[in-house]
Amino acid sequence: MSAKKFTVLDLLELDLPGHDSLNLKCIGGRRGLPRAITIPELNRPGLALSGFFQCFQFNRVQLFGRGESAYLEKLHQESNTESLKEFFSSQIPCCIFSYNLEPTEEFRELAEESCCPILQSDLPSTELSNRLVRLFSNIFAPKKTMHGVLVEVYGIGIFLTGHSGVGKSETALELVERGHRLVADDIVEMCCVNGNVLLGRGSNTLISHHMEIRGLGIINISQLYGVGSIRDQKEVQLIVQLEEWDAQKAYDRLGSEQNYKEVLGVKIPEIVIPVRPGRNLPIIIEAAAMNERLKNMGYNSARDFNQNVLKWIETGEAKTAYNNINDAY
């Protein structure tokens, strides 16, 4: 859950782009706008309006569509307010009416008495529900800040990590120069969405597309390379750890064993790339990105190589080649 309290007023004031816009406005119960939204789910209160309150999810945002509104009109015609009084006796965060539907007079009065905000949107119920669930999944998703650089290379989100001064920013700058995109430098906010997707973005949107290069200072990537060289967020699909070359350490030379790093409960493939003078890190990372894309498509180069070697041995060609070498001596 998000550490910051998220209120109905925050929901109302969100400025979202067109495909995510909620088109909300408050039409009643303004005194309750500071109420907190604590559950990232919605409830359709049809059963509660009919008087069945067992397992009533009162702590969720209540969404009213055409069916619920029609039932409210039926209660109004029958002058039946008992279920409405029971409904508003709970601490409901807010009620949202889709299709620009209007609540009945009794509903408005009881909402005002209980300080329950009434919001209205012109969106259809299904679309409004989808957008709210998508919004809540982002707001209430677990978050964590990590030190590193997040770049997009050939469509793969790569998180570069390693000790300070190992060359993460310089490598990312070369990748941007080669046409790839920067997401965030230095401090990256990781966010787990839907329990299995790790999204990364800059922890501060005002400075996330700036980069610190030792000896050069702070540079603005979007100003230097254009808006096509940056993006706001990206799914993290590969972690690349850069470390100083250690002659005593045995590095993976086949890639047959895949290592993972768990971040917020999501396992992300991880590779370790040793750094020393003469190694072209951007080209290596580009190759790693393309190799990861192949793995996602079902092709594993290391596994295919091992299978070909085994076939070569089984066919006897390896024994023939070995005997030919011995004959030559």
Side-chain angles (χ1 to χ4, degrees):
M1 182 181 293
S2 176
K4 181 181 179 297
K5 181 180 177 182
F6 185 74
T7 67
V8 180
L9 182 60
D10 293 329
L11 176 64
L12 193 62
E13 293 182 340
L14 285 176
D15 184 17
L16 300 172
H19 62 283
D20 287 325
S21 177
L22 301 174
N23 302 338
L24 291 174
K25 60 182 178 180
C26 182
I27 59 174
R30 293 184 178 275
R31 290 181 297 169
L33 288 177
R35 284 189 179 182
I37 299 175
T38 58
I39 305 295
E41 296 176 14
L42 305 175
N43 184 58
R44 300 295 292 266
L47 287 175
L49 295 177
S50 65
F52 185 80
F53 287 92
Q54 187 175 349
C55 298
F56 173 44
Q57 302 293 335
F58 67 90
N59 51 357
R60 299 181 181 180
V61 171
Q62 307 295 313
L63 179 60
F64 288 74
R66 287 174 174 167
E68 291 82 3
S69 295
Y71 194 81
L72 286 179
E73 188 62 32
K74 178 177 179 294
L75 294 178
H76 171 68
Q77 294 174 359
E78 296 174 351
S79 299
N80 184 355
T81 61
E82 293 303 317
S83 59
L84 289 181
K85 291 178 180 178
E86 181 70 18
F87 178 80
F88 283 110
S89 65
S90 303
Q91 187 76 3
I92 297 171
C94 69
C95 299
I96 303 180
F97 284 77
S98 59
Y99 291 105
N100 272 340
L101 295 169
E102 294 283 346
T104 60
E105 183 179 349
E106 294 87 353
F107 191 94
R108 285 179 181 270
E109 292 175 355
L110 291 171
E112 291 289 349
E113 291 177 8
S114 60
C115 299
C116 178
I118 305 177
L119 308 183
Q120 186 185 63
S121 173
D122 61 349
L123 294 173
S125 300
T126 302
E127 181 62 26
L128 179 59
S129 175
N130 291 337
R131 296 188 186 190
L132 284 169
V133 170
R134 190 163 60 240
L135 171 68
F136 289 158
S137 67
N138 289 328
I139 291 176
F140 292 92
K143 295 180 176 62
K144 178 181 181 181
T145 57
M146 299 181 66
H147 176 70
V149 184
L150 181 58
V151 291
E152 181 193 58
V153 181
Y154 295 131
I156 299 293
I158 299 181
F159 181 60
L160 304 177
T161 184
H163 294 299
S164 180
V166 76
K168 300 184 295 296
S169 296
E170 290 80 359
T171 302
L173 181 62
E174 176 64 23
L175 288 169
V176 171
E177 177 71 29
R178 296 170 69 90
H180 306 293
R181 297 197 282 182
L182 172 73
V183 181
D185 178 56
D186 195 27
I187 302 297
V188 180
E189 181 183 78
M190 300 293 185
C191 175
C192 178
V193 179
N194 298 328
N196 60 354
V197 176
L198 191 67
L199 288 180
R201 63 172 68 92
S203 59
N204 187 322
T205 56
L206 296 178
I207 62 174
S208 59
H209 296 138
H210 291 70
M211 183 177 288
E212 177 192 355
I213 304 296
R214 284 177 173 80
L216 184 60
I218 304 295
I219 60 175
N220 189 324
I221 296 299
S222 62
Q223 292 291 330
L224 286 176
Y225 297 97
V227 294
S229 64
I230 61 173
R231 64 175 300 165
D232 294 330
Q233 66 178 15
K234 176 64 182 175
E235 178 185 354
V236 180
Q237 297 158 285
L238 180 65
I239 296 177
V240 175
Q241 180 180 343
L242 303 180
E243 66 174 38
E244 297 287 348
W245 184 288
D246 185 358
Q248 306 301 320
K249 182 176 179 179
Y251 293 101
D252 187 8
R253 301 183 66 177
L254 295 178
S256 56
E257 294 185 4
Q258 179 67 69
N259 296 320
Y260 294 89
K261 183 173 182 178
E262 188 170 311
V263 181
L264 295 174
V266 182
K267 289 185 176 181
I268 307 296
E270 181 185 39
I271 60 175
V272 177
I273 297 181
V275 178
R276 71 174 180 181
R279 301 204 82 195
N280 193 325
L281 294 181
I283 290 182
I284 296 175
I285 292 175
E286 285 181 335
M290 289 187 286
N291 191 48
E292 188 63 25
R293 289 189 65 178
L294 282 175
K295 289 181 180 179
N296 294 337
M297 296 169 64
Y299 177 78
N300 190 309
S301 301
R303 183 177 57 200
D304 186 64
F305 175 80
N306 288 337
Q307 291 175 351
N308 289 337
V309 170
L310 290 175
K311 290 179 181 178
W312 182 57
I313 294 175
E314 291 172 356
T315 57
E317 294 180 10
K319 182 177 180 181
T320 302
Y322 178 77
N323 292 333
N324 290 337
I325 293 175
N326 288 338
D327 292 343
Y329 289 97

